[in-house]
Amino acid sequence: MLSRFPRLRLGHLPTPFEPLPRLSAALGGPEIWVKRDDCTGLSTGGNKTRKLEFLMAEAVAQGADTVMTQGATQSNHARQTAAAAAKLGLACHLLLEDRTGSTDPNYTGNGNVLLDHLHGATTEARPGGVDMNAELEAAADKARADGRKVYAIPGGGSNPTGALGYVNCAFEMMVQINETGLVFDHLVHATGSAGTQAGLITGLKACNAGLPLLGFGVRAPKQVQEENVFKLACATAEKIGCSGVVTRSDVIANTDYVGAGYGIPTESGLEAIRLFAELEGLLLDPVYSAKGAAGLIDLIRKDRFSKGQRIIFLHTGGSAALFGYDKAFPAK
């Protein structure tokens, strides 16, 4: 189904699929498994690598010599885009939005930002609250007027082309689930720009997986998040030739764990980071995966996910951002 779309093999796939026995025991609830998309391999890995396999293939097919995208200051997507461009010999320019107001030098210059520059990308800062898609198109048009052949990637790589990466992940995960011989009750993950959740639900529904999907939002209100995901899922389903396979009721987001705002750590998220690190040796990031894990942990404690069930946590990566948030983790 997906082989007819251009794709460049940038990731280390399939990513591991494994149980988390110590975390499961500590929480006393369901058996928790993790899909390790922090292990995709491109500049410390993360979920955007799957999307970039299709996006960068499209860029190359269109003859681009420059890729441009946008995101927050500590954008995992920007870092992986810069790495993919370096690997392919393309110029990369990034527009980075200040969504937190932090002036901490580690936040503004370490972590993902440091890696952006190491990969040779150029960056421009933007104030919080501007229309970043409009800013991206304006910057791309200016570069085109200067003679560059620009391929512009939306924030998070979240369009129908990018979402193909998570249609593919859904297929990959179903093979791994079948190999375990076990039954799984739910799949959960952090959801932001909508591409990961949209691709996953499209892939799961297309193969009639019967595996419910829950996205824990990191930015937008529930209704906005769900509508964004549903719209993109419908476009993705149409792209792969199975229009109508996703219904509105398939798209569920829980936005109770956003906290004070995007990119601002929460106490529950920091607890999740410590639990995953101390019990399983896994690194989460404060922006995405920690808030998704915080939601999972809280629902287990509330018995929404209970003993006897098996839950999959899709780890979307992002550990490089930890170095921009070092002050949230005082030494013991």
Side-chain angles (χ1 to χ4, degrees), residues 235-261:
T236 305
E238 182 177 0
K239 186 178 183 75
I240 65 173
C242 57
S243 296
V245 72
V246 180
T247 66
R248 179 62 181 82
S249 61
D250 295 321
V251 177
I252 303 173
N254 181 323
T255 59
D256 294 344
Y257 305 93
V258 175

Side-chain angles (χ1 to χ4, degrees), residues 52-257:
L52 287 162
E53 289 197 328
F54 291 91
L55 291 162
M56 298 301 278
E58 193 169 85
V60 170
Q62 292 179 11
D65 58 24
T66 303
V67 293
M68 299 179 65
T69 194
Q70 56 91 357
T73 302
Q74 282 292 333
S75 168
N76 298 310
H77 165 64
R79 178 250 306 162
Q80 287 163 87
T81 301
K87 191 174 182 69
L88 297 172
L90 303 177
C92 181
H93 187 65
L94 308 170
L95 304 184
L96 302 179
E97 180 188 2
D98 176 14
R99 296 181 189 168
T100 68
S102 175
T103 57
D104 184 333
N106 266 346
Y107 182 81
T108 59
N110 202 343
N112 282 311
V113 181
L114 172 64
L115 297 183
D116 293 340
H117 295 146
L118 281 177
H119 292 308
T122 53
T123 60
E124 285 184 57
R126 292 290 188 273
V130 301
D131 183 339
M132 288 298 288
N133 286 326
E135 293 289 317
L136 175 63
E137 283 307 313
D141 286 342
K142 182 177 184 299
R144 291 180 185 118
D146 292 337
R148 307 296 296 187
K149 296 178 180 177
V150 178
Y151 181 82
I153 300 173
S158 293
N159 62 14
T161 299
L164 294 177
Y166 271 88
V167 174
N168 193 48
C169 180
F171 296 164
E172 176 184 298
M173 190 164 24
M174 292 313 299
V175 171
Q176 292 174 312
I177 288 172
N178 290 340
E179 288 174 348
T180 69
L182 302 174
V183 175
F184 288 82
D185 298 283
H186 231 102
L187 170 62
V188 305
H189 68 104
T191 184
S193 61
T196 298
Q197 188 172 4
L200 281 173
I201 195 61
T202 303
L204 291 171
K205 295 293 289 186
C207 65
N208 197 26
L211 182 64
L213 176 66
L214 172 62
F216 287 105
V218 300
R219 188 181 186 190
K222 176 180 174 67
Q223 184 170 350
V224 172
Q225 184 66 30
E226 290 182 347
E227 288 298 329
N228 288 343
V229 172
F230 180 58
K231 181 179 179 181
L232 181 52
C234 290
T236 305
E238 182 177 0
K239 186 178 183 75
I240 65 173
C242 57
S243 296
V245 72
V246 180
T247 66
R248 179 62 181 82
S249 61
D250 295 321
V251 177
I252 303 173
N254 181 323
T255 59
D256 294 344
Y257 305 93

Side-chain angles (χ1 to χ4, degrees), residues 287-309:
V287 183
Y288 292 94
S289 53
K291 291 185 178 181
L296 170 62
I297 290 166
D298 190 47
L299 294 191
I300 290 172
R301 288 171 173 164
K302 291 175 176 176
D303 206 34
R304 290 272 303 279
F305 295 132
S306 55
K307 205 170 185 66
Q309 292 185 308

